Amino acid sequence: MKSLQEEIPTKTFIKIIDVSKSNAQELLSELIKEMGGLDLILISLSAFNDFCGNYKATPEQEAWQIEVDLKGFVKMAQVALQVFEQQRSGHLVGITSISALRASLYSPIYSSSKIFIQQYLESIRRRIQLKNIPICVTDIVPGWVANERYNPKYASNKYWVIGLKEAGRQIIDAINKNTKQAYVLKKWMIAVCAIKCTPDWFHHWLFSGF
Ligand SMILES: NC(=O)c1ccc[n+]([C@@H]2O[C@H](COP(=O)([O-])OP(=O)(O)OC[C@H]3O[C@@H](n4cnc5c(N)ncnc54)[C@H](OP(=O)(O)O)[C@@H]3O)[C@@H](O)[C@H]2O)c1
């Protein structure tokens, strides 16, 4: 983060927040004060790692992932929404996943958390519409994005796996357009029906390599 900060010419702020800790909301409020306000928050959390991606996760590991992916997301969103409601403007962006489309054999807590977040974001959007507050809510739904975690064998699948820069570009584009829900890549939108309708065995085979 520090080396990235050096590359950015405008003033930037860094705060280390572990969302599983009880002081997480306090720290985010502090950061917002230090920055002098908040226009947009992008919550891109996940404790997803090796244990989450296989079906041998222990109950303790699963409980940890609930703390981070699910409760952590809500904690951060609550702080931001309080600010947005007070100032009557703002943009809440959550990163979910195509894993929310279908129950996962390999990462049950991960996919369930993403389903929860999608429903949560939609509910928040409806609640603020009822209150007539002009706050935007965007759900970014990535497919497969090649990062350090990725096996290069899969990352080279240019049709379905997208690079970090292109993913970032599409995410910014969706945010600038105030899109409610954006698939990254867009072609995942077409694959949604197929993913929902395929038999279990095919779905598990298709996603087992990632
Ligand atoms: N890569 C993909 O193919 C893909 C596909 C679909 C959805 N997504 C979603 O995209 C988002 C970013 O994932 P990524 O692929 O870029 O992986 P990543 O680099 O591992 O990002 C996960 C982020 O969560 C943060 N985090 C983990 N535990 C935390 C904690 N206790 N408190 C605060 N922050 C914590 C990490 O912070 P630190 O780096 O400081 O630990 C990191 O910034 C996630 O929501 C993921 O589910 C990714």
Side-chain angles (χ1 to χ4, degrees), residues 17-21 43-48 64 68-69 95-99 110 114 141-150 164:
I17 305 175
D18 181 342
V19 295
S20 67
K21 297 270 165 64
I43 309 174
S44 173
L45 273 173
S46 180
F48 188 101
W64 165 250
V68 176
D69 287 28
I95 308 278
T96 62
S97 169
I98 50 149
S99 297
Y110 180 75
K114 295 300 188 186
V141 193
W144 293 312
V145 181
N147 59 14
E148 306 82 53
R149 210 174 48 217
Y150 249 75
L164 278 175

Side-chain angles (χ1 to χ4, degrees), residues 56-199:
K56 290 180 187 153
T58 63
E60 291 75 23
Q61 288 169 329
E62 292 194 333
W64 165 250
Q65 200 177 17
I66 292 170
E67 281 303 322
V68 176
D69 287 28
L70 200 155
K71 293 190 190 170
F73 187 98
V74 174
K75 279 188 201 171
M76 297 297 95
Q78 281 176 336
V79 174
L81 284 165
Q82 260 182 355
V83 175
F84 294 162
E85 287 200 21
Q86 266 171 17
Q87 68 193 20
R88 297 190 64 81
S89 70
H91 196 154
L92 169 65
V93 184
I95 308 278
T96 62
S97 169
I98 50 149
S99 297
L101 292 174
R102 186 88 184 254
S104 167
L105 165 69
Y106 297 94
S107 47
I109 302 294
Y110 180 75
S111 62
S112 311
S113 302
K114 295 300 188 186
I115 292 167
F116 173 93
I117 295 168
Q118 286 197 334
Q119 294 281 319
Y120 176 78
L121 290 173
E122 198 178 336
S123 305
I124 294 294
R125 187 181 300 113
R126 289 185 182 180
R127 194 179 73 185
I128 52 187
Q129 269 167 1
L130 273 180
K131 290 186 179 177
N132 208 13
I133 306 174
I135 297 170
C136 296
V137 179
T138 298
D139 172 13
I140 301 287
V141 193
W144 293 312
V145 181
N147 59 14
E148 306 82 53
R149 210 174 48 217
Y150 249 75
N151 181 333
K153 190 174 123 200
Y154 301 119
S156 62
N157 178 342
K158 298 278 181 261
Y159 193 73
W160 288 113
V161 181
I162 190 173
L164 278 175
K165 274 198 177 164
E166 180 55 19
R169 201 192 56 72
Q170 290 196 19
I171 291 169
I172 290 170
D173 190 44
I175 291 172
N176 286 339
K177 288 180 179 153
N178 293 339
T179 313
K180 286 182 187 168
Q181 189 174 55
Y183 284 84
V184 173
L185 299 159
K186 288 193 180 76
K187 64 182 134 192
W188 277 107
M189 219 155 59
I190 302 156
V192 169
C193 291
I195 290 172
K196 286 192 170 167
C197 300
T198 49

